[in-house]
Every structure is written in C-alpha cells, then in structure tokens.
Amino acid sequence: MEQIQHRHVQVRGVKLHVAEIGSGPKVVLFLHGFPEIWYTWRHQMVAVANKGHRAIAIDFRGYGLSEQPAEPEKATFKDLIDDVVALLDSLSIDKAVLVGKDFGAFPAYVIPALHPQRVSGMITVGVPFMQPDASPVQFHLLPKGFYMSRLKEPGRAEADFGRFDVKTVIRNIYILFSGSELQVAADDQEIMDLVDTATPLPPWFSEEDLAAYASLYEKSGLHFPLQIPYRSRRSSEDYHLTDPKISAPSLLIMEGTHFVQEQFPEQVNQLITSFLDKHGI
C-alpha cells in the first residue's frame, strides 16, 4: 500500500483527493460507494497496477480527503459525473475503464452513455445498468424502518450517528452490512441500535483498515455522504439522455456482501484483470 501515491486535483471548484499506483496508457478509474473512500479499492488498485495498468481511485467530493462543496445540500449525482469527466481532463487521460460499486456504479454507467469516447470499458459491482430515472429500491414494498428509508430522512441519521464517534459508526456499518440480513429498525430503534456491541469486525476487515477509514471520515464527516447517495436528485433530465446505450465492453460482478471487493479481493481481482485482458483495455 505504501506504493500508492496521493495528491489533490482541482476539479470544478473543489479539490479531489486522488490515489494512484502504476503507469502507462491503460487507465482504470475506481469509484467508491457508501460509506467508502478510495481505500475500499486498495486490493484492486495493486492488482491492476501489477498487470501494467495505471490505477486511480478518488474520494468523491465531500468524502474522505476531498473538499466539501460550498452548498452540499444542492449537490446531485450530476456533480459526481461532471467531476469524473473533469478529472480525466485534468489528468490528460483520453479514455479509462470505469469501475464503480454501490452509488459509484451510477457515474460508471452514465458516463459511457454520455461520453462514449472517454470510456474504454465499464465494470460495476453489485448494481446493474439502469435508466437514470429508475430507482434501485422499491421503497413502498419494504418496511418503514428499512435502513435506506431512515438514511433518506433529513436529520435522523445525523442524530443517530452523532451519538458515537466516527470510528464506532464505521465499525457498526461494516458489521451490519457484511451479512445478508435486511437491516430494518423497529419504531423505537435507530440503525446504530441494530448492532450488538459484542460482535467483532468481519475477519477480512482489520482494526488497521477501520483506523484508515475513521481517520479520513474524521475530516469529511458524514453529512455529505448522506446527501449523496441518499437524498439527492437523480433524473434523466439532468443528462439529456432519452435512450441511453453503452457500446463499451461491460462486466457486472454480483457476489458476496456489500463489501465484496474487500471480502473476496482475490476473486474480484481475477474477474477484473481477466476482463481487462480479454478486451485488451
């Protein structure tokens, strides 16, 4: 991990934290989800760099070591998409393979539709391609205490998380979402109350990993990460896409838990590098 280099790049009014390893014309850009940061891709970055690629992972605006936008409540998914394209411009990268998971999958499959000339391939983890207007979750079919419904409610998650330090919040999230159970709170519970304090971290996520996450979230806090993805608008009107199509080679990885790339790094690394090799990208 010590070979991964770090810097900040000015993009659309904010400084984005950029982690990078490897060199060469073939670029793989990793886009994290919630509640993650660049660090979630640490295993995959090293793997693709060892295969001769330039591996880049960012903290989205408002996350980790990237700057907060001036008006976080007005931020939308379009900001993330525009940030990625502007970052490619700033780094003089003509084309890249985009790898996204969770909400990071959304820019990973919208950018190839909007800017096909900038994308040589697309990999999404846990989220298939869908129309920009489509919701990945049918909330009306789920219990009212479903965790995403709680996180969408302004102020509620902030109050819930605010009872604990950042390290405890991240620990609890990793424990909660490392299994297959649907996380639903009762009327007299908050999401953090669902965690048994005696439950250890999953074996593939160390105290060192937890400390790395916590140190970065201590800077950014969790307010903006609740805005995007949970409370921001996502509309095809923002992108002028009427019938989006992707022509670049694509791969969907669906296995494991929410943190599959950390839980099964060898398997995910193999899927990614085999895809890159197959298509020569």
Side-chain angles (χ1 to χ4, degrees), residues 58-76:
I58 65 171
D59 293 341
F60 279 119
R61 59 170 56 210
Y63 278 77
L65 295 179
S66 289
E67 283 187 336
Q68 300 284 319
E71 297 180 288
E73 291 78 12
K74 294 183 179 180
T76 69

Side-chain angles (χ1 to χ4, degrees), residues 28-147:
V28 182
L29 176 58
F30 294 92
L31 307 173
H32 66 78
F34 179 90
E36 296 156 327
I37 46 177
W38 77 268
Y39 188 81
T40 195
W41 296 113
R42 59 198 180 280
H43 304 298
Q44 289 70 45
M45 292 179 70
V46 173
V48 301
N50 287 341
K51 288 285 190 176
H53 291 73
R54 180 183 177 188
I56 300 171
I58 65 171
D59 293 341
F60 279 119
R61 59 170 56 210
Y63 278 77
L65 295 179
S66 289
E67 283 187 336
Q68 300 284 319
E71 297 180 288
E73 291 78 12
K74 294 183 179 180
T76 69
F77 277 94
K78 187 176 185 299
D79 288 309
L80 307 188
I81 290 165
D82 292 344
D83 284 352
V84 171
V85 176
L87 178 68
L88 294 177
D89 292 338
S90 295
L91 299 180
S92 299
I93 296 171
D94 293 329
K95 299 183 77 169
V97 177
L98 301 182
V99 184
K101 67 151 299 202
D102 188 45
F103 78 83
F106 185 70
Y109 57 63
V110 171
I111 292 171
L114 284 173
H115 308 283
Q117 74 281 6
R118 307 303 301 271
V119 179
S120 50
M122 179 195 80
I123 302 172
T124 58
V125 180
V127 181
F129 174 83
M130 64 184 71
Q131 298 281 357
D133 284 328
S135 171
V137 178
Q138 301 298 309
F139 287 97
H140 66 285
L141 300 177
L142 293 166
K144 65 178 181 179
F146 179 54
Y147 82 95

